[in-house]
Each structure stands twice: as C-alpha cells, then as structure tokens.
Coordinates of all heavy atoms in Angstrom, one line a residue:
A1 N -20.2 6.6 0.9 CA -19.6 7.0 2.2 C -20.2 6.1 3.3 O -21.4 5.8 3.3 CB -19.9 8.5 2.5
G2 N -19.3 5.7 4.2 CA -19.7 4.7 5.2 C -19.5 3.3 4.8 O -19.6 2.4 5.7
G3 N -19.3 3.0 3.6 CA -19.1 1.6 3.1 C -17.7 1.2 3.4 O -16.8 1.8 4.0
S4 N -17.4 0.0 2.8 CA -16.1 -0.7 3.0 C -15.6 -1.2 1.7 O -16.3 -1.5 0.8 CB -16.3 -1.9 4.0 OG -16.7 -1.5 5.3
L5 N -14.2 -1.3 1.7 CA -13.5 -1.9 0.6 C -12.4 -2.7 1.2 O -11.8 -2.3 2.2 CB -13.0 -0.9 -0.4 CG -13.9 -0.4 -1.5 CD1 -13.2 0.6 -2.3 CD2 -14.4 -1.6 -2.4
R6 N -12.0 -3.7 0.4 CA -10.8 -4.6 0.8 C -9.8 -4.6 -0.3 O -10.1 -5.2 -1.4 CB -11.3 -6.0 1.2 CG -10.3 -6.9 1.8 CD -10.9 -8.2 2.2 NE -10.0 -9.1 2.9 CZ -10.0 -9.1 4.3 NH1 -10.8 -8.3 5.0 NH2 -9.1 -9.9 4.9
L7 N -8.7 -4.0 -0.1 CA -7.6 -3.9 -1.1 C -6.6 -5.0 -0.8 O -6.3 -5.4 0.3 CB -6.9 -2.6 -1.1 CG -7.8 -1.3 -1.2 CD1 -6.9 -0.1 -1.3 CD2 -8.6 -1.4 -2.5
S8 N -6.1 -5.6 -1.9 CA -5.1 -6.6 -1.8 C -3.9 -6.2 -2.5 O -4.0 -5.6 -3.6 CB -5.6 -8.0 -2.3 OG -6.7 -8.5 -1.5
C9 N -2.7 -6.7 -2.1 CA -1.5 -6.4 -2.7 C -0.8 -7.8 -2.9 O -0.4 -8.4 -1.9 CB -0.6 -5.5 -2.0 SG 1.0 -5.2 -2.7
A10 N -0.7 -8.3 -4.1 CA 0.0 -9.5 -4.4 C 1.5 -9.2 -4.5 O 1.9 -8.4 -5.3 CB -0.6 -10.1 -5.7
V11 N 2.2 -10.0 -3.8 CA 3.7 -9.8 -3.7 C 4.4 -11.0 -4.3 O 4.1 -12.2 -3.9 CB 4.1 -9.6 -2.3 CG1 5.6 -9.3 -2.3 CG2 3.3 -8.4 -1.7
S12 N 5.3 -10.8 -5.2 CA 6.1 -11.9 -5.7 C 7.6 -11.6 -5.4 O 8.0 -10.4 -5.4 CB 5.9 -12.1 -7.2 OG 6.2 -10.9 -7.9
G13 N 8.4 -12.6 -5.2 CA 9.8 -12.4 -4.9 C 10.1 -13.2 -3.6 O 9.3 -13.4 -2.7
R14 N 11.3 -13.7 -3.6 CA 11.7 -14.7 -2.6 C 12.0 -14.0 -1.2 O 12.1 -14.7 -0.2 CB 13.0 -15.4 -3.0 CG 14.2 -14.5 -3.2 CD 15.4 -15.4 -3.7 NE 16.6 -14.6 -3.8 CZ 17.5 -14.3 -2.9 NH1 17.3 -14.8 -1.6 NH2 18.5 -13.6 -3.1
T15 N 12.1 -12.7 -1.2 CA 12.3 -11.9 0.1 C 11.1 -11.3 0.6 O 11.2 -10.3 1.4 CB 13.4 -10.9 -0.1 OG1 13.0 -9.9 -1.1 CG2 14.7 -11.6 -0.6
F16 N 9.9 -11.7 0.3 CA 8.7 -11.1 0.8 C 8.6 -10.9 2.3 O 8.3 -9.9 2.8 CB 7.5 -12.0 0.3 CG 6.2 -11.6 0.9 CD1 5.6 -10.4 0.6 CD2 5.6 -12.4 1.9 CE1 4.4 -10.0 1.2 CE2 4.4 -12.1 2.5 CZ 3.8 -10.9 2.2
T17 N 9.0 -12.0 3.0 CA 8.9 -11.9 4.5 C 9.9 -11.0 5.1 O 9.9 -10.7 6.3 CB 9.0 -13.3 5.1 OG1 10.2 -13.9 4.7 CG2 7.8 -14.1 4.7
S18 N 10.9 -10.5 4.4 CA 11.9 -9.7 4.9 C 11.6 -8.2 4.8 O 12.2 -7.4 5.4 CB 13.3 -9.9 4.2 OG 13.7 -11.2 4.3
Y19 N 10.5 -7.9 4.1 CA 10.1 -6.5 3.9 C 9.0 -6.0 4.7 O 8.1 -6.8 5.1 CB 9.8 -6.3 2.4 CG 10.9 -6.2 1.5 CD1 11.5 -7.3 0.9 CD2 11.5 -5.0 1.2 CE1 12.6 -7.3 0.1 CE2 12.6 -4.9 0.3 CZ 13.1 -6.0 -0.2 OH 14.2 -6.0 -1.0
N20 N 9.0 -4.8 5.1 CA 7.9 -4.1 5.8 C 7.0 -3.6 4.6 O 7.5 -2.9 3.7 CB 8.4 -3.0 6.7 CG 9.5 -3.5 7.6 OD1 9.3 -4.5 8.3 ND2 10.5 -2.7 7.7
M21 N 5.7 -3.8 4.7 CA 4.8 -3.5 3.7 C 3.9 -2.4 4.1 O 3.2 -2.4 5.1 CB 3.9 -4.7 3.3 CG 4.8 -5.9 2.9 SD 5.8 -5.6 1.4 CE 4.5 -5.1 0.2
G22 N 3.9 -1.3 3.2 CA 3.1 -0.2 3.5 C 2.1 0.2 2.4 O 2.1 -0.4 1.3
W23 N 1.2 1.0 2.7 CA 0.2 1.6 1.8 C 0.3 3.1 1.8 O 0.4 3.7 2.8 CB -1.2 1.2 2.1 CG -1.6 -0.2 1.9 CD1 -1.4 -1.3 2.7 CD2 -2.1 -0.8 0.7 NE1 -1.9 -2.5 2.1 CE2 -2.3 -2.2 0.9 CE3 -2.5 -0.2 -0.6 CZ2 -2.8 -3.0 -0.1 CZ3 -3.0 -1.1 -1.6 CH2 -3.2 -2.4 -1.3
F24 N 0.3 3.7 0.6 CA 0.2 5.1 0.3 C -1.0 5.4 -0.5 O -1.5 4.5 -1.2 CB 1.5 5.6 -0.3 CG 2.7 5.6 0.5 CD1 3.4 4.5 0.8 CD2 3.1 6.8 1.1 CE1 4.5 4.5 1.6 CE2 4.2 6.9 1.9 CZ 4.9 5.7 2.2
R25 N -1.4 6.6 -0.6 CA -2.5 7.0 -1.4 C -2.2 8.4 -2.0 O -1.5 9.2 -1.4 CB -3.8 7.0 -0.7 CG -4.0 8.0 0.4 CD -5.3 7.7 1.2 NE -5.5 8.7 2.2 CZ -6.5 8.7 3.0 NH1 -7.4 7.7 2.9 NH2 -6.7 9.6 4.0
Q26 N -2.8 8.6 -3.2 CA -2.7 9.9 -3.8 C -4.0 10.4 -4.3 O -4.6 9.8 -5.2 CB -1.7 9.9 -5.0 CG -1.4 11.2 -5.6 CD -0.4 11.2 -6.8 OE1 -0.3 10.2 -7.5 NE2 0.4 12.2 -6.9
A27 N -4.6 11.4 -3.7 CA -5.8 12.0 -4.0 C -5.6 12.9 -5.2 O -4.5 13.4 -5.5 CB -6.4 12.7 -2.8
P28 N -6.7 13.2 -5.9 CA -6.6 14.1 -7.1 C -6.0 15.4 -6.7 O -6.4 16.1 -5.8 CB -8.0 14.3 -7.6 CG -8.7 13.0 -7.1 CD -8.1 12.7 -5.8
G29 N -4.9 15.8 -7.4 CA -4.3 17.1 -7.2 C -3.4 17.2 -6.0 O -3.0 18.3 -5.6
K30 N -3.2 16.1 -5.3 CA -2.5 16.1 -4.0 C -1.2 15.2 -4.1 O -1.1 14.4 -5.0 CB -3.4 15.7 -2.9 CG -4.5 16.6 -2.6 CD -5.3 16.2 -1.4 CE -6.4 17.2 -1.1 NZ -7.2 16.8 0.2
E31 N -0.4 15.3 -3.1 CA 0.8 14.5 -3.0 C 0.5 13.2 -2.4 O -0.5 12.9 -1.9 CB 1.9 15.2 -2.2 CG 2.3 16.6 -2.7 CD 3.3 17.3 -1.8 OE1 3.5 16.8 -0.7 OE2 3.8 18.3 -2.2
H32 N 1.5 12.2 -2.6 CA 1.3 10.9 -2.0 C 1.3 11.1 -0.5 O 2.0 11.8 0.1 CB 2.5 10.0 -2.4 CG 2.4 9.5 -3.8 ND1 2.7 10.3 -4.9 CD2 2.1 8.3 -4.3 CE1 2.6 9.6 -6.0 NE2 2.2 8.4 -5.6
E33 N 0.4 10.3 0.1 CA 0.1 10.4 1.6 C 0.3 9.0 2.2 O -0.2 8.0 1.7 CB -1.3 10.9 1.9 CG -1.7 10.9 3.3 CD -3.1 11.1 3.6 OE1 -3.9 11.1 2.6 OE2 -3.5 11.5 4.7
F34 N 1.1 8.9 3.2 CA 1.3 7.7 3.9 C 0.0 7.2 4.6 O -0.7 8.1 5.2 CB 2.4 7.8 5.0 CG 2.5 6.6 5.9 CD1 3.1 5.5 5.5 CD2 2.0 6.7 7.2 CE1 3.2 4.4 6.4 CE2 2.0 5.7 8.1 CZ 2.6 4.5 7.7

C-alpha cells in the first residue's frame, strides 16, 4: 500500500489512433469497474 505500478497495454492493428483507449478492473468477487 502506498506504492506504485506502471501498466502497459500493447496495441496492434492499423486503426490504433482511431480508438479511445480505456482501462477497467475486476476485483475478486466483484463486477468489472471502469
């Protein structure tokens, strides 16, 4: 707790710059969260 992490998402495909990119997360026993 209090620390940091850096997540990366590698994207392939010719339309990469046309998309809006989001992150979601799913905690144990819970629904996906924006």
Side-chain angles (χ1 to χ4, degrees):
S4 299
L5 276 177
R6 190 179 188 90
L7 305 183
S8 295
C9 177
V11 184
S12 61
R14 64 183 182 88
T15 61
F16 168 71
T17 57
S18 298
Y19 283 87
N20 309 311
M21 302 299 301
W23 287 90
F24 288 79
R25 65 187 183 184
Q26 185 177 34
K30 297 185 178 181
E31 300 177 352
H32 285 76
E33 176 190 16
F34 170 77

